Structure formats: structure tokens, C-alpha cells
Amino acid sequence: AQSVTQLGSHVSVSEGALVLLRCNYSSSVPPYLFWYVQYPNQGLQLLLKYTTGATLVKGINGFEAEFKKSETSFHLTKPSAHMSDAAEYFCVLHPPNTGNQFYFGTGTSLTVIP
Amino acid sequence: DTAVSQTPKYLVTQMGNDKSIKCEQNLGHDTMYWYKQDSKKFLKIMFSYNNKELIINETVPNRFSPKSPDKAHLNLHINSLELGDSAVYFCASSRRASSSGNTIYFGEGSWLTVV
């Protein structure tokens, strides 16, 4: 069975502090994993994705995520939070070669405190 | 050019009305989707079309009917609107399933409010 769990529906950080958004997955096949960001009143935008190869992937706006198979995790990080990072973040799992199924986490709302 | 565009962005309508949301993608993708996002930001797949053929039809009321005139368009028609239909509806598209994986691209959303 495929599933994604995002730990913490709300995360608050101070401006300039480390951002860490947690995502754990369950998959019967090696998964492809994505992080999407949704700014207020907008659609979802791809931040980064992991398919194969290097387990540390870099995305837009200074975000990166590391695929850890042993921990079944794909946590999203950013060294220094900006006010503009305040948004909803979604971790998404896509099992390759299994059709067009995408499994969404329940989202984490990031608040950045000035 | 907007890759996935949907209209209208905001829609306020009365209970019992029928409304449609249109979606178009210019990415050349074979697969299109409709997702519903509730007030808690939870995203739920409603429908998926692959080259105009329905491949995913989650448990949604029959009042919701998708229509795909061609692979670049997937419209959502809703009959007899109810208060509980108020949500944000997202259109999305991706390439057909492949071994290299797919990225799903979303439209800007359509905010539906039923009063």
C-alpha cells in the first residue's frame, strides 16, 4: 500500500531559522517523491522531486530534500526561512510504472515569524 | 503562457444551480485530473482522464460529471450544487505513466462558493 504522512500540520519558525518539514512514506515499490508548495490563493507549484540517482535533491527558492530509504523519509529543509516561504507544503508519492496515481500528504502549513 | 489554465477562478452561486469549470493544458500531456481541496487544505482526486478516456473515478456524487472533448481539455460540470460542494477545485495534468516518473502540473484553482 502506498501512503504519505506529513508530521505536523502546522510549523512555525522565526525568520532566518532552519525550516524542517517532515515527510514519511510507505510504498511497495521504490517511489518517486515530490514536494509542492501552495501560496495563498494559488495553485500547487513543484518545489523539487526525487526519482532516481542522487538522494539529496535541490529545488527552487533554496529548498532541498533528502531521500532516506532506510528511514522511509523525504524531509524538506531550508537553512534560513524568509517571510515569503509562508505557505502550505505538500509531500507527494508517485509509484512509477503503476499508472497515474499520486498520493498526497495532508499538508503542512508553514508560518514564518518576523 | 500558462501551462494549465482553468476558468473561472472564483465562482459564487446559489444552491441548486448548475455550473461548469473549464480546464485547458498546453503541455502536450496525455493525462488530466480534477482534484478537490477542502477547507483543511486536504487534496482529493476526483477524476483522471488519459487521452480522453476516464481512468480514475473516485467516489464522488453523480452530480459531478467530467467531460474531455480532447486531450488538452477537461471540463467539470456540477449539477444541483449543494453547500458542501464549496471548495477549491484544481485541474492538473501530467504525461502518461512512464518509467521515468511524472510530474503533475496544477492550475491556479477555481474557488467555488455555494450560498
Side-chain angles (χ1 to χ4, degrees):
Chain A
Q2 328 292 338
S3 67
V4 173
T5 302
Q6 291 184 240
L7 301 174
S9 57
H10 297 275
V11 171
S12 293
V13 299
S14 298
E15 191 174 15
L18 171 71
V19 175
L20 171 60
L21 305 183
R22 299 178 186 273
C23 173
N24 287 89
Y25 69 89
S26 173
S27 180
S28 55
V29 299
Y32 294 159
L33 293 158
F34 305 78
W35 276 99
Y36 283 83
V37 60
Q38 183 182 20
Y39 298 105
N41 297 323
Q42 294 188 25
L44 280 74
Q45 177 183 357
L46 179 69
L47 268 181
L48 50 80
K49 69 177 180 180
Y50 167 78
T51 53
T52 58
T55 56
L56 180 64
V57 291
K58 297 185 184 299
I60 61 172
N61 301 336
F63 284 93
E64 62 182 33
E66 187 170 9
F67 173 69
K68 292 187 176 181
K69 183 179 178 181
S70 61
E71 298 177 9
T72 60
S73 69
F74 190 58
H75 301 331
L76 181 70
T77 61
K78 181 174 180 177
S80 176
H82 294 165
M83 295 298 294
S84 60
D85 294 328
E88 191 83 17
Y89 292 80
F90 292 92
C91 183
V92 181
L93 181 151
H94 169 50
N97 293 321
T98 57
N100 289 86
Q101 290 281 4
F102 291 85
Y103 298 86
F104 284 77
T106 51
T108 298
S109 177
L110 176 65
T111 300
V112 181
I113 303 166
Chain B
D1 283 346
T2 303
V4 182
S5 59
Q6 54 183 110
T7 56
K9 179 158 186 174
Y10 299 103
L11 182 58
V12 180
T13 188
Q14 291 186 326
M15 284 176 55
N17 284 351
D18 303 340
K19 290 295 178 186
S20 292
I21 306 172
K22 296 185 176 181
C23 179
E24 175 182 5
Q25 55 94 5
N26 62 7
L27 296 168
H29 290 164
D30 291 309
T31 306
M32 296 186 71
Y33 314 79
W34 277 108
Y35 282 85
K36 180 180 180 180
Q37 186 176 47
D38 62 23
S39 59
K40 296 183 178 179
K41 303 289 189 181
F42 182 67
L43 277 157
K44 180 181 177 182
I45 181 77
M46 298 175 69
F47 303 102
S48 172
Y49 267 74
N50 206 345
N51 251 338
K52 304 196 306 176
E53 178 185 355
L54 180 65
I55 58 172
I56 295 176
N57 184 2
E58 295 296 319
T59 306
V60 298
N62 291 335
R63 299 181 293 102
F64 290 81
S65 55
K67 285 189 171 47
S68 183
D70 56 59
K71 75 172 191 177
H73 295 84
L74 181 61
N75 303 322
L76 182 65
H77 189 74
I78 315 170
N79 290 326
S80 303
L81 279 155
E82 300 177 357
L83 293 176
D85 297 332
S86 296
V88 185
Y89 293 85
F90 286 102
C91 179
S93 73
S94 71
R95 286 187 296 124
R96 195 184 182 112
S98 72
S99 59
S100 61
N102 294 309
T103 298
I104 188 166
Y105 293 87
F106 287 85
E108 289 291 295
S110 294
W111 271 253
L112 173 65
T113 303
V114 182
V115 297

